[in-house]
Amino acid sequence: MPTLIYSHPASLAHETPAGHPERIDRIRTVHQVIRSPHFKATIHREAPLGTEVQILRAHTEEHYQRILAASPESGFEYLDPDTVMSAGSLAAALRAVGGACAAVDSVLANDADNAFIAMRPPGHHAEANRAMGFCLFNHAAIAALHARAVHGIERVAVVDFDVHHGNGTQDIFWSDKNLFYGSTHQMPLYPGSGARSETGVGNIFNAPLKAGDAGAEFQTAMEDIILPALNLFEPELLIISAGFDAHVRDPLGSLELEEDDFAWATLQLMEIADTHAKGKIVSVLEGGYDLQGLAGGVGAHLQALLHGNAAVED
Ligand SMILES: [Zn+2]
């Protein structure tokens, strides 16, 4: 079955101030990768608008109303020193929510094995009641809760290999034993959470890495902590928070992952999804701030999601 890619031009209208790392060029770069002849075996779909019902499964009404009220007609509105909205930001975020939920619908309806949401802003720092770290709504958490509410499955896992800890997903999943959150990330680093000792109700698995750690340490963290726990959890759907800022070239992190490491992690997760979830994976783009590193990471990840078949039709 094919790999779906969800995108929308709205991602190009979320403006951030000059010098902000989470910039429009990121998604231009991702669009070049996903539209390259190398990936012509993928099926492209336009993301629908996300809905209030979808968002309120993960966020408070207060948070949702605060984001709506902050949306500016022009210029920039700062939600915190890092997190900013322009006139196009709300639509971009709503499309990213809608894309993630539509991908869940398609994958669970057997339209595809897996799907990649090639959209911005990222989402994993957004907590139930707080926007932060460039994130307005938590697309991965919203997608997980959408799957449970609409498709009648119980156990959904999010695995996050962004260089930053997904405090938002951890926050939303914290007390629900049928939601799994596993994360590799650099520590210490923004947002400061993600210690091994943060375990929720036995459903949170943090595997912090230190500055300078590379593929070997990343693989050990995955093999020792995340993957065995994920296997025991037996997810019915696997969601990946796919950030590529752990790449060696990235200016925001100091891990030293390369393209092959992202491919390796993706293939490991696919194996577990094959065992427990009929191969069903929805992958959501998170960070990645060096354009070359981002392109390489997305390419390697997508190639893996295509079961390595991308190049066959070249
Ligand atoms: Zn990040």
Side-chain angles (χ1 to χ4, degrees), residues 81-115:
D82 302 319
T83 312
V84 61
M85 294 181 75
S86 69
S89 302
L90 179 61
L94 290 173
R95 291 284 175 183
V97 168
C101 292
V104 166
D105 294 340
S106 295
V107 163
L108 292 179
N110 292 317
D111 282 353
D113 281 337
N114 54 44

Side-chain angles (χ1 to χ4, degrees), residues 21-265:
E22 209 291 277
R23 60 206 189 275
I24 293 170
D25 275 350
R26 295 183 62 238
I27 212 69
R28 289 199 184 104
T29 297
V30 170
H31 285 175
Q32 281 176 1
V33 173
I34 64 180
R35 290 169 187 160
S36 77
H38 188 69
F39 292 120
K40 66 186 178 189
T42 58
I43 295 174
H44 289 246
R45 292 197 177 156
E46 189 162 279
L49 275 171
T51 68
E52 180 176 354
V53 168
Q54 291 167 349
I55 290 166
L56 293 185
R57 292 192 186 109
H59 294 283
T60 62
E61 175 77 30
E62 182 188 356
H63 174 77
Y64 178 63
Q65 293 300 336
R66 200 184 301 129
I67 298 293
L68 293 186
S71 181
E73 287 184 20
S74 63
F76 294 118
E77 178 72 27
Y78 281 81
L79 303 174
D80 73 15
D82 302 319
T83 312
V84 61
M85 294 181 75
S86 69
S89 302
L90 179 61
L94 290 173
R95 291 284 175 183
V97 168
C101 292
V104 166
D105 294 340
S106 295
V107 163
L108 292 179
N110 292 317
D111 282 353
D113 281 337
N114 54 44
F116 179 58
I117 317 305
M119 301 180 74
R120 62 185 277 276
H124 71 155
H125 294 306
E127 298 181 346
N129 195 34
R130 179 161 64 154
M132 59 182 276
F134 318 157
C135 303
L136 305 181
F137 301 125
N138 193 315
H139 319 126
I142 291 169
L145 294 168
H146 177 77
R148 293 214 308 195
V150 174
H151 297 279
I153 61 175
E154 274 188 57
R155 293 183 313 285
V156 185
V158 173
V159 173
D160 183 335
F161 55 66
D162 189 281
V163 80
H164 302 100
H165 180 242
N167 60 291
T169 315
Q170 174 169 297
D171 169 63
I172 294 163
F173 283 17
W174 186 257
S175 58
D176 190 328
K177 66 179 174 48
N178 286 323
L179 295 171
F180 174 106
Y181 179 66
S183 174
T184 57
H185 47 272
Q186 182 183 331
M187 246 188 124
L189 189 68
Y190 184 91
S193 54
R196 282 291 302 275
S197 57
E198 297 164 23
T199 56
V201 287
N203 62 326
I204 308 287
F205 296 87
N206 286 310
L209 299 164
K210 61 183 188 306
D213 280 354
E217 291 82 5
F218 172 67
Q219 293 196 13
T220 299
M222 289 289 276
E223 286 175 335
D224 287 359
I225 299 169
I226 308 287
L227 300 176
L230 182 61
N231 245 321
L232 286 173
F233 178 74
E234 299 183 348
E236 294 165 275
L237 171 68
L238 177 57
I239 295 171
I240 301 177
S241 268
F244 299 96
D245 43 11
H247 191 282
V248 62
R249 292 181 53 92
D250 199 275
L252 266 56
S254 304
L255 296 185
E256 299 183 357
L257 301 194
E258 304 199 29
E259 281 79 357
D260 286 353
D261 299 309
F262 297 114
W264 175 85

